[in-house]
Amino acid sequence: MMKKKVYKAHILYTKEPGRFEVMENGYVAVGADGRVTGVAADLASVQRSAWLEGDGAEVTDFGDRLLIPAMNDLHVHAPQYRNQGIAMDLELLPWLQQYTFPEEMKFADMGYAGRMYRRFVRDLWRFGTMRACVFATIHTGSTRLLMRLFQEAGMGALVGKVAMNRNCPQGLSETVEDMVRGYEELISDRLEEKSDGLVRPIVTPRFVPSCTPEMLRACGELAARYHLPVQSHLSENKDEMALVKELEPESTCYGDAYDRYGLFGQTPTVMAHCVWTEGKELELMKRRGVMVAHCPTSNFNVASGMAPIRQFLDEGLRVGLGSDISGGHDLSIFRMMVYAIQVSKMHYQQNHQRTFLSLSEAFWLATKSAGSFFARVGSFEPGYEFDALVIDDSELNHDNYSLLQRLERYIYLGDDRQIEHRFCRGKEISCP
């Protein structure tokens, strides 16, 4: 059990998308369970609100640093990590066949998987991402290894053994029976280790074109039987969508092709991209509570288009940000905030009826909104798990700037070198 802690710093977070909560030289109290118990402008108030008086809670003063919630990545492919910045002149389907699938086949080799996955987890940590929804490969052994690396690091992750059995190389195809058996092994591992819930399996059909109806049905049954969340891709690319229509002719839309198999909100579900989501699909997502992982760099790199995030927010959809390595070329969720704002400004130029994203909205997408897919994560409100970053932005020459201006400058100009401390569920996380 951890000790109760109180941290002093310049505190910034978003309870709601439209505005920041800012406390200059404020205090946040964290209980022995790693959850925030109080946040206030002075020590006496935070002690009273958190029932800490007289119990010897440690106080750590971070001085002139910024204290913000840690980042959450809602969509990233761990086995594609080595391919960052490669084949950026191809669209989605040829990019998969020529570069991505050959790289993922290498993860049958546990030695290779270990080297790549250790680098991947370390760099997530480096960029301040403490929770992630992660695609692995079809390989049960290397997927188990990735989950263990997250567990050992003390970082949170939903890790998916990818399901696929059509339109892919033989080395990345498996039978429905083998897919189910692999998932049940991973589920059993979590139970036997009495996992604290930081690292869990997530059902991961790659996307409809790579899964037969039997595979999709088995994925839906796994999610229902073991109460597992689901992740996949949706309406990313027009050629992909045309292929889905051909493969699932009875479906009314791409989302319906998942819904018919119990993979669209029957358990918590996040779908990446949704660049071309509209009409019936949008309404179905709203009814099912399906979350969107917005991956702006990937959408540009593989020439998919621009997801209408302002419309999604106006319609009440839940949205978070994803790096989508290696369709995306950048693992930093801070830079995903910048790109998301820029994409929304391009939409604004086309349709002045909808405003572009503000900084507070982009920050909220990366923290509280995305964090809601994992638990009560992404805010410093009482009851939230203390996932946090301590930022020393002194090298960015912040004299005479307000705290909000300092945060904005860090988001646009800073990098991992300014992150001094990283916390996940109340525990400081050292370099994995």
Side-chain angles (χ1 to χ4, degrees):
M1 184 72 73
M2 294 181 295
K3 294 182 179 179
K4 297 178 181 180
K5 301 284 185 70
V6 175
Y7 299 103
K8 179 185 178 185
H10 302 312
I11 299 170
L12 302 98
Y13 63 104
T14 47
K15 290 182 182 178
E16 55 192 40
R19 66 185 180 90
F20 280 98
E21 304 295 322
V22 181
M23 289 187 185
E24 184 174 5
N25 295 311
Y27 295 83
V28 58
V30 181
D33 61 356
R35 295 180 181 274
V36 175
T37 54
V39 59
D42 62 274
L43 181 59
S45 296
V46 81
Q47 287 177 323
R48 283 196 300 272
S49 67
W51 303 96
L52 290 172
E53 287 183 299
D55 67 2
E58 298 179 11
V59 178
T60 300
D61 188 345
F62 289 124
D64 194 37
R65 275 65 167 179
L66 308 178
L67 178 63
I68 64 173
M71 298 296 103
N72 304 286
D73 191 332
L74 273 189
H75 184 69
V76 61
H77 293 259
Q80 296 176 23
Y81 185 63
R82 187 173 177 270
N83 274 1
Q84 285 181 95
I86 293 175
M88 297 288 93
D89 55 352
L90 294 176
E91 291 192 26
L92 175 64
L93 297 182
W95 174 81
L96 286 170
Q97 295 291 340
Q98 297 175 35
Y99 286 89
T100 302
F101 289 161
E103 177 64 18
E104 292 191 7
M105 289 173 67
K106 298 176 184 177
F107 285 77
D109 180 339
M110 292 291 287
Y112 184 82
R115 291 193 301 275
M116 292 300 109
Y117 282 159
R118 284 183 178 88
R119 294 179 189 177
F120 169 73
V121 172
R122 178 201 63 202
D123 279 357
L124 276 180
W125 171 89
R126 187 162 65 89
F127 285 108
T129 298
M130 292 292 105
R131 312 258 180 161
C133 284
V134 185
F135 279 59
T137 61
I138 70 164
H139 309 104
T140 302
S142 56
T143 302
R144 179 186 291 113
L145 171 61
L146 179 58
M147 295 177 75
R148 180 170 60 79
L149 292 172
F150 274 112
Q151 195 77 41
E152 290 173 354
M155 295 159 59
L158 296 171
V159 179
K161 169 183 154 60
V162 172
M164 51 197 302
N165 66 343
R166 69 176 171 185
N167 294 323
C168 61
Q170 184 61 37
L172 285 181
S173 179
E174 65 178 344
T175 67
V176 172
E177 293 75 19
D178 285 344
M179 183 277 293
V180 171
R181 187 180 305 112
Y183 261 98
E184 290 182 335
E185 289 178 15
L186 297 175
I187 294 163
S188 177
D189 288 347
R190 296 297 91 198
L191 293 175
E192 289 172 7
E193 294 176 16
K194 296 182 180 179
S195 170
D196 57 9
L198 263 179
V199 183
R200 294 178 286 139
I202 180 170
V203 174
T204 306
R206 186 181 205 106
F207 63 164
V208 169
S210 67
C211 298
T212 62
E214 294 76 18
M215 181 68 83
L216 292 168
R217 187 173 299 109
C219 285
E221 291 170 353
L222 274 171
R225 185 181 312 129
Y226 296 105
H227 308 289
L228 296 176
V230 171
Q231 64 178 350
S232 195
H233 302 84
L234 181 68
S235 298
E236 178 180 3
N237 174 280
K238 288 189 173 181
D239 288 343
E240 165 208 19
M241 294 165 65
L243 183 55
V244 171
K245 188 173 182 179
E246 176 185 330
L247 294 171
E248 292 285 334
E250 296 181 7
S251 297
T252 60
C253 59
Y254 196 162
D256 185 50
Y258 288 114
D259 191 52
R260 294 171 64 223
Y261 298 104
L263 296 166
F264 211 64
Q266 288 82 359
T267 62
T269 301
V270 59
M271 288 283 165
H273 308 304
C274 305
V275 172
W276 302 103
T277 291
E278 61 184 359
K280 293 179 180 179
E281 186 167 274
L282 179 57
E283 291 302 315
L284 184 59
M285 292 185 77
K286 289 165 60 176
R287 290 201 306 272
R288 297 293 196 208
V290 173
M291 193 163 191
V292 176
H294 177 39
C295 308
T297 57
S298 174
N299 297 160
F300 281 168
N301 286 339
V302 296
S304 296
M306 301 184 298
I309 299 306
R310 167 60 67 203
Q311 179 186 357
F312 291 166
L313 294 177
D314 289 350
E315 296 271 1
L317 265 65
R318 297 169 61 207
V319 181
L321 299 179
S323 65
D324 194 25
I325 298 300
S326 66
H329 61 274
D330 195 330
L331 203 56
S332 169
I333 297 299
F334 288 104
R335 287 196 281 271
M336 292 310 110
M337 291 186 219
V338 175
Y339 300 139
I341 292 170
Q342 292 172 339
V343 169
S344 74
K345 287 179 177 178
M346 293 181 192
H347 269 293
Y348 173 72
Q349 290 301 322
Q350 295 175 356
N351 180 0
H352 285 269
Q353 293 178 349
R354 297 186 186 275
T355 59
F356 51 80
L357 294 178
S358 66
L359 184 70
S360 66
E361 288 174 315
F363 191 87
W364 178 80
L365 292 177
T367 56
K368 186 174 180 178
S369 183
S372 69
F373 195 74
F374 301 97
R376 297 192 75 192
V377 171
S379 178
F380 294 148
E381 298 164 69
Y384 274 71
E385 297 183 8
F386 186 68
D387 287 17
L389 305 176
V390 178
I391 308 295
D392 179 2
D393 63 333
S394 56
E395 291 185 356
L396 300 179
N397 301 316
H398 60 61
D399 293 348
N400 301 318
Y401 288 107
S402 70
L403 292 178
L404 278 177
Q405 288 171 329
R406 285 173 58 180
L407 177 59
E408 183 174 23
R409 281 170 58 82
Y410 174 72
I411 290 170
Y412 276 82
L413 304 177
D415 58 40
D416 57 284
R417 292 171 296 181
Q418 284 90 49
I419 305 177
E420 281 197 342
H421 303 275
R422 301 156 175 84
F423 295 87
C424 184
R425 196 182 277 173
K427 178 182 177 182
E428 183 163 6
I429 306 301
S430 304
C431 182

